[in-house]
Amino acid sequence: VEGFGDVGVLLGRAGESVDAPVEVGATGESERATAAARAVGEGMMARDNESAQVVLLGVNPGAESQVSTVPEKLFQGDVAVGWCREDLSEALEIMGGNEELFDRWCEAMSSSEFLPGDNERALVLGSGLAESLLVSVGDEVSVRVVRAEAGEGFEQGEVSQRRLEVTGLVRVGNPEVDERVAYVHRETLQGMLGTDGPNEIVVLLDDISHLEEARDHARSALAGTAGIDVLTWSERNPALHSLIEMGAGSNDLVYFI
């Protein structure tokens, strides 16, 4: 990405939080932006007899917290424990009616964490996904993805499988996230996919009025680069765009995919 100017700076440093003025258009004005890199893939997740198709987001927790509010939406404390006892009561039957075991299982949700750095197997689920799989914090699930690249004894297109540990739950309030998305460490997902780096860059602007200008500038800078699309947050997630229009947020994102 060298030679792309400010876009190259964002792409080159997006593995960490970026917080520096960058030029967003031909006007010569500067806009403050923050970028984070992600590895993104689709896969299957299973726990005992339950399974679900998921969107896996491999992130750097510190960088992700600078471009997304999801890490702040941890589902924990008494609210999470109460939800578990009511909405996941099916698990009590699976546990043979052992209420003491079920209570301990639900209490584990109070210690929800967003991808602790000392656990490369850490996994964070949306609350709806946790309900579908009947899992709590501390449980292990099997995650399968299709390899994007060959390596480590795998061929491209083969299924890569790994057991990961649920360390946290999030509740965003949107079914597309709560029922389908799971977060893992970026290096962990890249290892499963067989890729060397991220396949998505998220850029957060301080001023939404410069959104289209920033997108157009990035598209121009990256013109002719195969396999790269530049989309605004609303273009990437049209179903979620209504949340902004209803006053759910004031910032917007530009994705480099």
Side-chain angles (χ1 to χ4, degrees), residues 42-62:
E42 293 190 355
M44 291 294 298
M45 193 171 291
R47 162 80 172 176
D48 296 330
N49 295 324
E50 308 296 336
S51 62
Q53 186 173 359
V54 297
V55 175
L56 294 161
L57 296 184
V59 303
N60 175 308

Side-chain angles (χ1 to χ4, degrees), residues 38-42 55-58 186 189 193 197-200 236:
R38 292 173 176 169
V40 182
E42 293 190 355
V55 175
L56 294 161
L57 296 184
R186 198 181 83 203
L189 183 55
L193 294 172
N199 55 4
E200 181 173 281
R236 179 73 158 73

